């Protein structure tokens, strides 16, 4: 119990430590547009629904959403990206301003802002319209202004941080916002950034960057392995930070990979190759442009042995045999992915299945997520990338960074729209308030004093109650809800198993203390749960010094044994009546009565009650 609370506070400390950390985001910025409509009929012209637009929402997308997530998580985010001089660009600027992102985007008058428009009916995405052609390259003037903005932004963040080296996040989604000169500049100036995070559809484009962390999707990792199998992958990072060289691959594939975890346009060379087990390529066939996809390439498909890329002859598999899943396949290839990307950390994201993360220690770490509708998960990867980057920049251990990144992605997917994780939401998920006051639910007696002091400094009134709470029932819930209404937060002290036996008899508790406190902690009206070994809560009362001490019963407060102590400490005592016909003893009696054999009808209740203590007292 105390260990779980301490872990929550440790994670919350990392979130607090990255507050104000300078992060430069560069890449493909876009606008996400959500159009919510209603439909109650089909049109006469075709078997298609007639939609009536009810609501429209605009949000930052791509690199812009990553910058927004960094800002809302508490970092100091600055965005450099080409943005069109159009209506979509104006809306994107507004989104950045609202989130507190330092907008250093570069206007491109003759190049439209990329937009993804989604039309929904009943929270179901009916269609998506993409505009903004990645084939429209930046002209020489646009590239020059982008490089100037990049250089100035780096120095601006460094000055704002008192000379500290900023963090860099690169978001390359193949939309043309990172042309070859910009990629080469970032590789050549790698030493100007301490932590570098890379999220790229085509990881082979970034050979030589030596990022701290890369976050490919399963499909993007598959593409890189396929190219490596064909002999055209990136080489392992040499000692030190390499500069751009003549072998740096800087050409994008001509098509953007299809959405979804199970299909993509892969980038293997013509002719293909086969990659078996966990060793190197067993053969390379054909020649061609480095990493360029061919028209014959089709899909990545899962097989019993792993994954195959059809149309090229490239097969990537593991020795795991039948039943291999994407997580197992990713885990078996983490070392190769680190070598091909030159990254210290590789986090392969598996959408609804979580992520697999590997670092220099070679130990894979698996995190899980909760499946949600696709319309809820748009941009969840941006939240993952933002939290992972901030945690690593704050020198958090890799397991901690991976845990926080997955948590940030998971808590953003509760509704339709582009995912944004706020610092307050992340801290709340860790049992901590946004002002830094610790709020773990399950606490130890040693931690309680400091936690109460934090609440006092925040000006909160504290309600305290105690009991066995052996079989939680509606009477308990109503009682605790009424107690919580008497102040700002409720602390519930629970008798230990030994204490319950001394108070209630050898056949109690029915449920061990671990189960009892877990149920109490799940109630929204309960803020903290603590276990005490004594028969009286007097020591805890002296620690908490509650503003209100609550007991259940129909007697006056003067009859409460703890009343003199509470009043001496400056608190008041309240008694709350029990809910009629709702008690632990009555529930236990009913269970025992129902367990009486039907063959013994005479005095079933008394027989069950008299024999049950012996039955319940024996080990199961």
């Amino acid at each position: 119990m105390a260990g779980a609370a301490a872990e929550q506070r440790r994670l919350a400390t990392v979130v607090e430590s990255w507050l104000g950390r300078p992060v430069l985001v560069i890449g493909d910025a876009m606008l996400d547009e959500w159009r919510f409509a209603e439909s109650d009929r089909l049109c006469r012209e075709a078997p298609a629904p007639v939609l009536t637009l009810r609501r429209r929402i605009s949000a930052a997308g791509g690199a812009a959403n990553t910058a927004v997530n960094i800002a809302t998580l508490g970092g100091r985010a600055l965005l450099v990206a080409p943005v069109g001089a159009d209506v979509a660009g104006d809306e994107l600027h507004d989104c950045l301003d609202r989130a507190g992102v330092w907008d250093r985007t570069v206007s491109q008058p003759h190049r439209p802002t990329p937009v993804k428009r989604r039309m929904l009916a009943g929270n179901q995405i009916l269609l998506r319209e993409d505009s903004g052609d990645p084939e429209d390259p930046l002209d020489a003037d646009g590239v020059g202004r982008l490089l100037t903005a990049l250089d100035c932004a780096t120095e601006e963040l460094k000055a704002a941080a008192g000379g500290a080296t900023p963090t860099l996040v690169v978001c390359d989604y193949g939309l043309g916002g990172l042309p070859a000169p910009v990629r080469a500049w970032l590789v050549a100036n790698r030493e100007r950034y301490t932590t570098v995070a890379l999220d790229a559809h085509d990881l082979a484009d970034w050979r030589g960057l030596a990022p701290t962390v890369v976050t490919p999707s399963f499909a993007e990792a598959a593409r890189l392995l396929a190219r490596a199998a064909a002999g055209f992958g990136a080489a392992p990072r040499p000692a030190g930070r390499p500069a751009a060289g003549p072998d740096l691959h800087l050409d994008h594939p001509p098509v953007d990979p299809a959405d979804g975890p199970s299909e993509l346009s892969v980038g293997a060379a013509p002719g293909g190759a086969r990659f078996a087990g966990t060793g190197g390529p067993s053969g390379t066939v054909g020649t061609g442009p480095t990493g360029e996809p061919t028209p014959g390439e089709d899909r990545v498909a899962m097989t019993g042995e792993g994954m195959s890329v059809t149309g090229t002859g490239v097969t990537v598999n593991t020795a795991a045999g039948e039943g291999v899943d994407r997580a197992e396949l990713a885990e078996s290839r983490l070392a190769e992915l680190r070598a091909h990307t030159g990254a210290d950390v590789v986090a392969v994201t598996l959408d609804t299945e979580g992520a697999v993360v590997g670092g220099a220690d070679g130990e894979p770490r698996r995190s899980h997520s909760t499946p949600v509708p696709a319309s809820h998960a748009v941009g969840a990867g941006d939240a993952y990338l933002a939290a992972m980057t901030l945690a690593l920049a704050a020198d958090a251990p890799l397991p901690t960074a991976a845990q926080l990144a997955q948590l940030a992605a998971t808590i953003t997917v509760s509704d339709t729209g582009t995912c944004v994780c706020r610092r307050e939401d992340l801290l709340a998920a860790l049992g901590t308030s946004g002002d830094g006051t610790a709020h773990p639910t399950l606490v130890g007696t040693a931690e309680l004093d400091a936690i109460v002091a934090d609440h006092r400094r925040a000006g909160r009134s504290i309600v305290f109650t105690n009991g066995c709470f052996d079989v939680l029932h509606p009477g308990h819930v109503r009682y605790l809800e009424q107690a919580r209404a008497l102040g700002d937060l409720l602390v519930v002290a629970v008798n230990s198993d030994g204490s319950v036996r001394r108070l209630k008899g050898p056949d109690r508790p029915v449920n061990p203390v671990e189960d009892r406190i877990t149920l109490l902690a799940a109630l929204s009206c309960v803020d903290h749960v603590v276990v005490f070994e004594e028969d009286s809560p007097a020591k805890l009362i002296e620690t908490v010094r509650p503003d209100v001490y609550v007991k259940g019963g129909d007697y006056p407060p003067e009859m409460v044994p703890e009343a003199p102590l509470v009043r001496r400490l400056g608190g008041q005592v309240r008694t709350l009546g029990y809910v009629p016909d709702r008690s632990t003893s009555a529930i236990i009696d009913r269970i025992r009565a129902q367990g009486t054999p039907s063959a013994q009808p005479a005095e079933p209740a008394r027989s069950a009650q008299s024999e049950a203590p012996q039955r319940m007292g024996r080990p199961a």
Side-chain angles (χ1 to χ4, degrees), residues 90 108 141 172 195 220 324 448 532 535:
D90 293 340
Q108 303 288 333
D141 178 66
D172 182 7
T195 302
E220 290 159 356
V324 65
L448 191 57
F532 65 100
D535 296 342

Side-chain angles (χ1 to χ4, degrees), residues 111-385:
R111 190 173 183 273
T113 303
V115 181
K116 291 185 177 181
R117 298 180 179 88
R118 297 170 177 87
M119 179 67 78
L120 301 89
N123 278 345
Q124 173 65 48
I125 297 178
L126 301 181
L127 59 90
R128 193 183 89 185
E129 175 194 5
D130 292 2
S131 61
D133 193 347
E135 295 298 321
D136 292 336
L138 295 176
D139 57 25
D141 178 66
V143 171
R145 288 188 293 117
L146 196 60
L147 289 173
T148 300
L150 183 57
D151 183 60
C152 293
T154 302
E155 293 304 314
E156 181 182 6
L157 277 179
K158 184 175 180 180
T165 307
T167 294
L168 174 68
V169 179
V170 179
C171 301
D172 182 7
Y173 307 130
L175 299 180
L178 289 164
V182 175
R183 299 200 295 275
W185 187 96
L186 289 169
V187 171
N189 288 270
R190 170 62 178 83
E191 72 282 354
R192 297 176 67 176
Y193 311 98
T194 49
T195 302
V196 173
L198 172 62
D199 183 20
H201 281 351
D202 186 358
L203 289 166
D205 275 352
W206 294 95
R207 183 180 181 180
L209 181 63
T212 308
V213 57
V214 293
T215 59
S217 66
F218 180 81
E220 290 159 356
R223 180 188 300 107
L224 184 66
L225 290 173
R227 292 183 175 186
F232 298 110
R237 177 175 55 181
R241 297 292 186 186
D247 60 347
L248 180 64
H249 173 56
L250 295 174
D251 294 325
H252 281 285
V255 292
D256 195 41
D259 289 336
S262 61
E263 67 178 41
L264 76 160
S265 300
V266 298
R274 182 165 297 276
F275 202 55
T278 57
S282 58
T284 303
V285 181
T287 60
T290 303
E292 292 304 318
T294 65
E297 293 177 346
D298 189 7
R299 295 171 179 242
V300 168
M302 291 299 298
T303 67
E305 296 180 342
M307 175 177 55
S308 66
V309 183
T310 62
T312 63
V314 175
T315 299
V316 183
N317 56 44
T318 67
E322 294 184 3
V324 65
D325 62 12
R326 293 195 303 161
E328 292 177 1
L329 183 57
E331 286 183 5
S332 71
R333 296 300 183 144
L334 286 174
E336 293 169 74
L337 289 169
R338 289 186 64 244
H340 294 316
T341 60
D344 298 324
V345 176
V346 172
V348 181
T349 56
L350 306 171
D351 44 84
T352 57
E353 297 176 46
V356 173
V357 182
D361 60 4
E363 183 68 27
R365 295 165 178 87
R366 180 80 164 88
S367 61
H368 298 271
S369 184
T370 303
V372 295
S375 60
H376 290 196
V378 175
D382 302 329
Y384 185 97
L385 175 63

Side-chain angles (χ1 to χ4, degrees), residues 67 334 485 500 521 534:
L334 286 174
V500 173
E534 302 81 10

Side-chain angles (χ1 to χ4, degrees), residues 73-115:
L73 283 168
R76 180 180 293 158
L78 186 153
L79 175 65
V80 173
V83 173
D86 49 21
V87 174
D90 293 340
E91 292 191 44
L92 182 56
H93 293 310
D94 291 341
C95 293
L96 297 173
D97 290 341
R98 287 195 299 268
V101 175
W102 292 12
D103 186 355
R104 302 298 183 265
T105 55
V106 178
S107 177
Q108 303 288 333
H110 306 296
R111 190 173 183 273
T113 303
V115 181

